[in-house]
Amino acid sequence: MPILNRAAELQNEVTEWRRHLHTKPELLFAVENTAAFVENKLREFGVDQIVTGLGRTGVVGLIKGKLGEGRTIGLRADMDALPMTETSGKPWASTVPGKMHACGHDGHTAMLLGAAKYLAETRNFKGAVAVIFQPAEEGGGGGNEMVKDGMMERFAIEEVYGMHNMPGMPLGRFGTRVGPIMASTDEFTITIDGRGGHAAQPHKTVDPIVIGSQIVNALQTIASRTVDPLASVVVSVTKFNAGFAHNIIPEQAVLAGTVRTLRPEVRDLAEARIKQISESLASAYGARVTISYGRNYPVTVNHRDETGHALAAASDIAGEGKVSADLDPMMGGEDFSYMLLARPGAFIFIGNGDTAGLHNPAYDFNDEAIPHGISYWVKLAEMRLAA
């Protein structure tokens, strides 16, 4: 079936909302203006209940169906932007220096608002829909904060669903998979304390730069020689800070990076090996090492039944051959993972067409995706809450 007629009718209005949000990006939990915009729209739509301040600055609107009492499902969008300078050149480009919607959260918020307007108009379902607008997806763990604030219990949410745009996927297409779909996102810092000295007398020093270089190389064996080749792991050293002069071997070097995995057991193994490799090499060269390892977002794992429901709704909108049920997992992270730990649900991708990639300064959400996204949310709600 094609997109819903009402969703197509709403496209211009929702596009205006999206572009307004794009001009005024906000970061992490400091999304007060975006949250106020969402709250005002929900009030205009006449949703039955609005709660603000969940997870610090999150907003939830509850829309009750006209077909009787029943259960509640949650539909989630993220609101925050990234600390980047936009280069898209669009008339609606960011007006805030050093901030931009480079991941399409403005589009996610606008599409869910469009779906909320539709659902509040029609209410052609049994039970209730909780529309969830979340802060701080880009590193702040806003999804976790909303869960810890008791959102699931407060609204009696039984299932929860998320959606993200995907540049390179054609417009009108969707994709997801059962099981792990996005990676855990851990971070590590390795501090090597050696003994500094004159660069012309290296034998009198314990050179932390040489040791750090050995550690960087050795960490690559976690993927190539430690983890099963059929499993997925990324260990990337992204910082190497040491030294301040051409003729001085420094006292200290600091390495930092990220670890991405799709399985809990691989995550445990990678953390253990980073510590073992770093400590062993530092000891062999006579240095001391301090390792800080932080676990951030967990693996995003789609539940089987709920993934089936998401695929059914997407197929109903996109049509045959335009929905992938075996999309390759991605090594990026997503804090919707916390909501999927709290309740069964599924995370799906929607095509953004041939645009710049996510987290690219030239990126812009494709407004032609809006009616497809609204239609998906509405169809999913009506299918899951059918009388």
Side-chain angles (χ1 to χ4, degrees):
M1 292 180 64
I3 58 176
L4 300 172
N5 289 336
R6 181 63 175 133
E9 292 171 1
L10 287 169
Q11 180 175 357
N12 289 341
E13 182 179 12
V14 176
T15 295
E16 290 179 5
W17 303 343
R18 201 284 296 181
R19 293 180 179 180
H20 166 78
L21 293 173
H22 193 87
T23 65
K24 302 180 183 299
E26 297 176 296
L27 304 182
L28 294 171
F29 292 99
V31 292
E32 290 85 0
N33 292 329
T34 304
F37 181 89
V38 167
E39 180 186 359
N40 289 337
K41 289 299 177 188
L42 294 177
R43 292 196 187 282
E44 288 178 18
F45 306 157
V47 306
D48 298 281
Q49 183 182 0
I50 301 171
V51 176
T52 61
L54 283 168
R56 304 192 210 178
T57 47
V59 181
V60 177
L62 193 69
I63 306 168
K64 295 181 181 179
K66 66 182 181 183
L67 303 182
E69 296 294 322
R71 55 204 189 82
T72 301
I73 67 168
L75 311 179
R76 172 269 201 177
D78 35 20
M79 297 187 290
D80 59 318
L82 283 157
M84 299 173 59
T85 298
E86 183 165 359
T87 63
S88 72
K90 298 291 179 66
W92 51 85
S94 171
T95 59
V96 184
K99 300 178 185 179
M100 73 167 288
H101 273 293
C103 205
H105 296 185
D106 52 337
H108 303 164
T109 295
M111 288 190 294
L112 187 55
L113 281 174
K117 181 169 184 173
Y118 184 113
L119 292 168
E121 289 174 351
T122 60
R123 300 179 182 266
N124 190 31
F125 54 90
K126 181 179 181 179
V129 177
V131 286
I132 302 164
F133 297 88
Q134 178 212 300
E137 191 282 323
E138 297 289 358
N144 190 34
E145 293 301 313
M146 294 189 83
V147 169
K148 290 193 298 184
D149 258 1
M151 176 182 69
M152 300 301 184
E153 296 78 12
R154 182 168 185 170
F155 295 96
I157 295 170
E158 296 186 21
E159 299 173 13
V160 65
Y161 297 88
M163 178 167 55
H164 202 292
N165 76 97
M166 179 181 282
M169 179 184 285
L171 282 166
R173 293 180 181 259
F174 294 84
T176 188
R177 68 182 295 114
V178 174
I181 189 168
M182 297 193 76
S184 57
T185 60
D186 297 347
E187 296 176 350
F188 61 87
T189 301
I190 302 167
T191 303
I192 305 157
D193 289 301
R195 184 171 64 249
H198 201 294
Q201 297 178 315
H203 58 292
K204 295 183 179 181
T205 71
V206 176
D207 191 339
I209 294 178
V210 171
I211 299 166
S213 300
Q214 296 295 321
I215 290 174
V216 171
N217 286 331
L219 292 181
Q220 307 315 304
T221 66
I222 295 173
S224 66
R225 291 296 181 270
T226 299
V227 172
D228 185 334
L230 298 180
S232 299
V233 63
V234 173
V235 180
S236 292
V237 177
T238 56
K239 297 180 185 179
F240 194 138
N241 299 319
F244 50 89
H246 287 80
N247 61 346
I248 299 172
I249 292 173
E251 292 276 333
Q252 189 179 82
V254 180
L255 316 179
T258 186
V259 179
R260 307 297 175 101
T261 61
L262 293 170
R263 299 180 188 174
E265 64 272 20
V266 176
R267 190 182 199 185
D268 293 340
L269 179 59
E271 179 180 357
R273 289 297 291 147
I274 285 173
K275 293 177 179 178
Q276 291 165 357
I277 288 169
S278 302
E279 290 168 353
S280 297
L281 279 169
S283 177
Y285 284 94
R288 291 180 295 106
V289 67
T290 303
I291 302 159
S292 172
Y293 193 99
R295 294 196 171 200
N296 292 326
Y297 298 171
V299 180
T300 304
V301 181
N302 281 341
H303 298 247
R304 181 172 299 278
D305 290 347
E306 287 69 28
T307 303
H309 303 321
L311 288 167
S315 297
D316 206 46
I317 297 300
E320 185 177 356
K322 293 186 177 180
V323 179
S324 172
D326 59 353
L327 194 71
D328 288 339
M330 281 159 266
M331 301 310 285
E334 169 58 61
D335 83 340
F336 187 65
S337 52
Y338 291 108
M339 296 191 186
L340 290 177
L341 287 174
R343 291 294 186 273
F347 192 67
I348 199 168
F349 288 91
I350 182 173
N352 203 56
D354 185 17
T355 66
L358 302 176
H359 294 216
N360 184 301
Y363 170 86
D364 186 35
F365 182 83
N366 191 336
D367 293 318
E368 294 304 311
I370 285 172
H372 301 279
I374 293 173
S375 297
Y376 167 76
W377 281 136
V378 170
K379 183 59 64 175
L380 178 62
E382 292 180 347
M383 289 175 67
R384 294 305 300 136
L385 299 174

